[in-house]
Amino acid sequence: MRQDQFIARHQPGWIAFEHWLDARGDLRAARRADPQWSGLADAEIPARYRRLCQHLALARRRGYSPQLADRLQALVQRGHAVLYRTPPVRARRALEFLAVGFPRLVRAHWPVMLVAAVLFSLPAIALFVAVLWRPDLAAAVFDPVQLAGIEAMYDPARAEHRIGRDGGSDVAMFGFYIWNNVSIAFRTFASGLVCGLGSMVVLVFNGAFFGVVAAHLEVVGHDGPFWRFVVAHAAPELTAIVIAGGAGMQLGLALVAPGRLSRGAALMQAGRRGALLAAGVLAMLVAAAFIEAFWSSIGWMPGWIKFTVGGACWAAVLGWLLLAGRGGQAPA
């Protein structure tokens, strides 16, 4: 076979492979770059590479021009670097997921996330206003011993040392906060299997709890230490609880309204997405526990510093969830 016939027969495949390489191994981008790739499955890419290696061997054996051999050699080397490169380490993949994949996934489920936010915030606001108006309502939610314990943790007279806890080292409280926060998030998420109603109830309960505590401390004059304590770690902690509730509700929706899928298939799909959301929630709660143990409880820090850091935490969390990874696809 003459060289020009050889090139005419095989060059379209070389060009397609080169486009795939230009896309750095991204099959979707390669398909967009060249229509010839529109019908290729992932498993066909190594076969294309092997044919390219055969073409290089034929070009050398038949004595084709050095320019052709050099071109094929360059494609083979680039293909080897892409197909046989070391996969990214798990830590890097995990960081990439947290940086962009998790926010994309949260935004992909924005309807249930919005409902979850409303279910948490409305009871919190309503009970906060109600207890400010009728302080005795706090006694209908907590017994006197519980109220006395809450007041003691945020007593301005002892707030110069530690806020929001009775004792324990920072490291011990870090572990406790992780356990406590994760247990709440797990209940919020897992209870969504009860047709989504369980997650809704847990969100309403936690929102009401927060509203009553905040209002009661306002009434008794312990609001300063309380808000200085919660302002920073509340950003990752409360948003994580809301996301866990949204993830639980999407589990319930898979059971109630599976669409064209069977309930089993819909539940499996929702479970995979829920597991990814739960992984991101876990990371947020670990971060919240760290802030709560080592920063929030500091009593001597001036209020303006606490509120400045707290505002930065809220801006960082909301900016990350709303803006990170825009333009890409959420993990399946």
Side-chain angles (χ1 to χ4, degrees):
M1 182 184 294
R2 296 199 309 270
Q3 177 174 311
D4 56 349
Q5 294 175 324
F6 181 78
I7 294 174
R9 175 177 295 183
H10 300 296
Q11 183 164 249
W14 304 340
I15 294 174
F17 191 75
E18 188 173 23
H19 286 167
W20 182 80
L21 290 172
D22 291 339
R24 299 185 65 82
D26 186 338
L27 184 58
R28 290 191 298 267
R31 286 170 175 163
R32 291 194 299 269
D34 196 297
Q36 296 185 57
W37 285 76
S38 60
L40 284 181
D42 292 4
E44 294 182 66
I45 297 173
R48 285 281 183 123
Y49 176 72
R50 288 192 295 271
R51 284 197 294 271
L52 181 63
C53 293
Q54 293 171 356
H55 296 162
L56 174 60
L58 286 172
R60 286 174 172 170
R61 189 173 65 197
R62 294 173 180 175
Y64 293 155
S65 68
Q67 291 82 2
L68 177 60
D70 290 344
R71 177 189 178 190
L72 295 177
Q73 177 67 36
L75 287 176
V76 167
Q77 289 176 342
R78 290 181 63 194
H80 184 276
V82 171
L83 293 172
Y84 296 98
R85 62 188 172 190
T86 303
V89 296
R90 292 184 178 181
R92 177 183 170 187
R93 293 169 60 188
L95 290 174
E96 288 176 351
F97 168 73
L98 289 176
V100 296
F102 178 68
R104 288 172 181 167
L105 193 58
V106 171
R107 293 195 298 270
H109 295 85
W110 70 266
V112 290
M113 297 301 168
L114 180 60
V115 172
V118 170
L119 288 173
F120 180 88
S121 58
L122 277 186
I125 296 171
L127 269 294
F128 181 83
V129 173
V131 173
L132 287 181
W133 178 54
R134 292 279 304 276
D136 56 299
L137 290 176
V141 180
F142 299 100
D143 61 48
V145 175
Q146 290 175 314
L147 288 177
I150 293 171
E151 293 171 13
M153 287 192 295
Y154 302 101
D155 186 350
R158 59 187 293 269
E160 290 300 318
H161 179 56
R162 279 286 182 262
I163 310 174
R165 67 194 200 206
D166 294 323
S169 67
D170 290 345
V171 174
M173 295 307 296
F174 176 51
F176 171 78
Y177 291 143
I178 290 177
W179 176 84
N180 182 66
N181 294 345
V182 170
S183 64
I184 294 173
F186 178 77
R187 288 194 298 270
T188 307
F189 171 62
S191 58
L193 288 170
V194 188
C195 300
L197 296 176
S199 295
M200 298 170 71
V201 170
V202 175
L203 286 168
V204 170
F205 173 81
N206 281 282
F209 179 91
F210 182 83
V212 171
V213 169
H216 177 72
L217 292 172
E218 287 273 353
V219 170
V220 299
H222 294 187
D223 51 304
F226 172 74
W227 291 115
R228 284 191 289 127
F229 175 73
V230 303
V231 65
H233 70 263
E237 182 177 317
L238 297 186
T239 50
I241 297 300
V242 167
I243 292 170
M249 284 192 288
Q250 63 100 21
L251 279 180
L253 284 174
L255 290 173
V256 176
R260 297 182 179 180
L261 299 175
S262 66
R263 279 187 168 80
L267 185 59
M268 288 182 61
Q269 184 182 78
R272 285 193 296 270
R273 294 174 179 172
L276 290 173
L277 287 168
V281 165
L282 175 62
M284 294 179 70
L285 292 177
V286 170
F290 183 86
I291 297 171
E292 189 172 2
F294 297 101
W295 169 262
S296 297
S297 62
I298 298 175
W300 55 265
M301 190 72 66
W304 69 268
I305 296 179
K306 283 292 191 78
F307 289 114
T308 300
V309 172
C313 288
W314 277 102
V317 170
L318 295 178
W320 167 57
L321 292 174
L322 296 176
L323 302 176
R326 282 200 170 274
Q329 293 185 343

